[in-house]
Amino acid sequence: MTTTTTDEYDVFVVSKIKGLPEAIQNMVESRPLLKDSLQISVGNPNDIQNYDADVIVCDPPLCATVIQNQRLKKRSRILRQKTKEIQWIQSTFTGVEPLIAEIQNEPEQEELTYTITRTGGIIGPSMANYCLTWILAVERKLFEAKALQQQREWNHEQLSFRASSLNDLTFAILGLTADGLYIASTLKENFPKCTVIGYLHNVLDGSYDASSFPDVSYVSNKLDDILVRSDYIISMLPNNEGTTNLLSGLTLQISKKRSPVFINVGRGNIIDEPSLIRGLDDNWLAAVVLDVFAVEPLPQYSRLWDHPNVHITPHVAALSFPEDVAIVFCDNAESFLQEKTMKYLVEYNQVY
């Protein structure tokens, strides 16, 4: 890729995130390098088939459409002559499964002639706050308190709580991404003497660099070794072949002695619904907090809705807000113009 700060680049923004085009435009105008080099245009999802730009900012499903179009252009001399050659796609989400699937759907796996970046580094605080909120709700027995209130029962003994007990807990994080490490640091900040352990499928036991995981006391690629130690299991794992049904079947049976709480803020493919229900009914799990599901929205017929130990939120643990996405895009745009390596490059053999 050859770029210079003296050229002008057309940027096409199309997203369902309300206010994103305005946020990008305002931030571009506040940065001299970008103001002089980027021409922003805005479209709606139906326009994605007709873009003609150097750079595209769009949601992952639309990115997949762009990739399809680029493939067609590459094979059509007429299309190549009529439209610009795209140089960079900036996805507006952290997760990029649809566009990865589209790339891997190409039988020949041709090398892409453009760069793809995702929106990273913005969901860690939201994820950490979500997990911390639910942990405190469980440990402080807030659900029991509400039930007692509804029964008009004053029960001091049932709701007794020793704050120092939080330091005795072991929290397992499945998937030590940057966001997973942010959760780890938040837990250690709030419960200084707690234990945080982590599952990382591609690490060799004892061979990892401990400085890369400053708040994690133990890292293993042996899932059972992590599950058996845990009071809370927090999944940050992405959706890929290696994570699908990772916790399904009898996998969680090893957790029965400690009966942990399972919090899933990664992807819903990690465990199927029958395995979740069995895990709860057989006391392998004490409770589950689910923000992600294999099928979204969660179907009305799902048994999860009515289970007393299941807590559901509709994929809101961490959302993409326009100002945050605009910062990621503009920081990357400056690197793009200066021919520097951009952040959050999409690796085609992974799913985030």
Side-chain angles (χ1 to χ4, degrees):
M1 184 189 303
T2 58
T3 59
T4 67
T5 57
T6 58
D7 293 335
E8 185 174 275
Y9 296 89
D10 290 321
V11 179
F12 185 64
V13 182
V14 54
S15 173
K16 293 183 178 180
I17 300 176
K18 293 181 179 179
L20 180 59
E22 295 81 2
I24 288 178
Q25 184 67 63
N26 291 338
M27 195 163 295
V28 164
E29 291 179 356
S30 70
R31 301 191 184 193
L33 174 60
L34 303 186
K35 182 179 180 181
D36 296 336
S37 304
L38 302 183
Q39 183 65 41
I40 308 294
S41 61
V42 181
N44 62 59
N46 294 329
D47 297 329
I48 201 66
Q49 297 280 0
N50 304 312
Y51 67 87
D52 187 18
D54 303 289
V55 178
I56 297 182
V57 182
C58 59
D59 304 336
L62 300 177
C63 291
T65 301
V66 174
I67 293 168
Q68 290 175 359
N69 290 348
Q70 286 300 118
R71 191 175 293 143
L72 291 174
K73 286 183 181 181
K74 187 174 182 180
R75 296 168 181 170
S76 170
R77 181 175 58 83
I78 296 176
L79 287 175
R80 289 200 305 271
Q81 292 174 345
K82 285 186 175 181
T83 58
K84 292 186 174 183
E85 188 72 26
I86 193 171
Q87 299 190 43
W88 167 33
I89 300 173
Q90 171 69 59
S91 174
T92 57
F93 295 175
T94 297
V96 288
E97 286 95 336
L99 65 93
I100 290 287
E102 182 58 39
I103 293 172
Q104 295 178 340
N105 191 44
E106 174 59 34
E108 298 177 4
Q109 287 284 294
E110 297 175 353
E111 188 72 22
L112 300 183
T113 58
Y114 48 89
T115 300
I116 304 177
T117 54
R118 62 188 180 90
T119 298
I122 66 173
I123 67 171
S126 295
M127 288 283 193
N129 289 338
Y130 179 93
C131 294
L132 181 62
T133 297
W134 283 102
I135 290 166
L136 289 173
V138 171
E139 295 300 318
R140 291 308 310 256
K141 304 178 182 178
L142 298 187
F143 302 108
E144 293 91 330
K146 185 62 177 178
L148 290 171
Q149 177 185 339
Q150 292 172 339
Q151 299 168 18
R152 298 174 179 266
E153 181 178 348
W154 186 278
N155 193 323
H156 184 275
E157 182 178 346
Q158 186 172 336
L159 298 181
S160 63
F161 171 76
R162 182 171 60 90
S164 60
S165 64
L166 291 168
N167 285 311
D168 299 330
L169 296 173
T170 296
F171 300 94
I173 299 177
L174 311 185
L176 293 174
T177 61
D179 298 317
L181 292 176
Y182 197 102
I183 293 174
S185 66
T186 299
L187 293 172
K188 292 296 288 186
E189 181 180 349
N190 285 273
F191 319 129
K193 294 183 180 180
C194 76
T195 302
V196 180
I197 60 179
Y199 169 75
L200 205 58
H201 76 280
N202 59 351
V203 69
L204 296 177
D205 290 339
S207 67
Y208 63 91
D209 181 3
S211 64
S212 300
F213 313 108
D215 297 299
V216 183
S217 61
Y218 177 68
V219 178
S220 176
N221 63 356
K222 295 181 175 62
L223 184 60
D224 285 355
D225 196 24
I226 296 297
L227 297 179
V228 75
R229 302 168 183 242
S230 306
D231 298 300
Y232 280 81
I233 302 168
I234 301 171
S235 177
M236 293 289 295
L237 290 170
N239 180 352
N240 59 36
E241 292 182 2
T243 62
T244 297
N245 289 323
L246 185 69
L247 298 182
S248 294
L250 301 179
T251 302
L252 290 170
Q253 188 173 20
I254 198 171
S255 303
K256 185 172 183 177
K257 183 176 181 179
R258 299 180 81 111
S259 190
V261 175
F262 174 57
I263 301 176
N264 192 3
V265 288
R267 288 293 184 264
N269 69 309
I270 190 175
I271 184 170
D272 59 40
E273 184 171 312
S275 298
L276 270 174
I277 298 295
R278 180 176 182 179
L280 290 165
D281 291 346
D282 289 353
N283 297 315
W284 303 346
L285 297 172
V288 299
V289 177
L290 305 174
D291 187 59
V292 291
F293 304 86
V295 177
E296 297 183 1
L298 183 64
Q300 290 290 315
Y301 58 78
S302 172
R303 295 174 60 196
L304 296 172
W305 287 111
D306 298 320
H307 199 288
N309 294 322
V310 174
H311 307 288
I312 291 171
T313 56
H315 208 146
V316 294
L319 302 175
S320 293
F321 290 96
E323 295 78 12
D324 298 327
V325 177
I327 290 173
V328 173
F329 167 72
C330 288
D331 287 349
N332 264 343
E334 290 183 338
S335 297
F336 171 80
L337 294 171
Q338 296 169 345
E339 299 183 349
K340 296 180 179 179
T341 301
M342 291 185 281
K343 291 183 178 180
Y344 315 118
L345 294 169
V346 172
E347 301 291 341
Y348 309 140
N349 60 347
Q350 298 183 36
V351 179
Y352 296 82

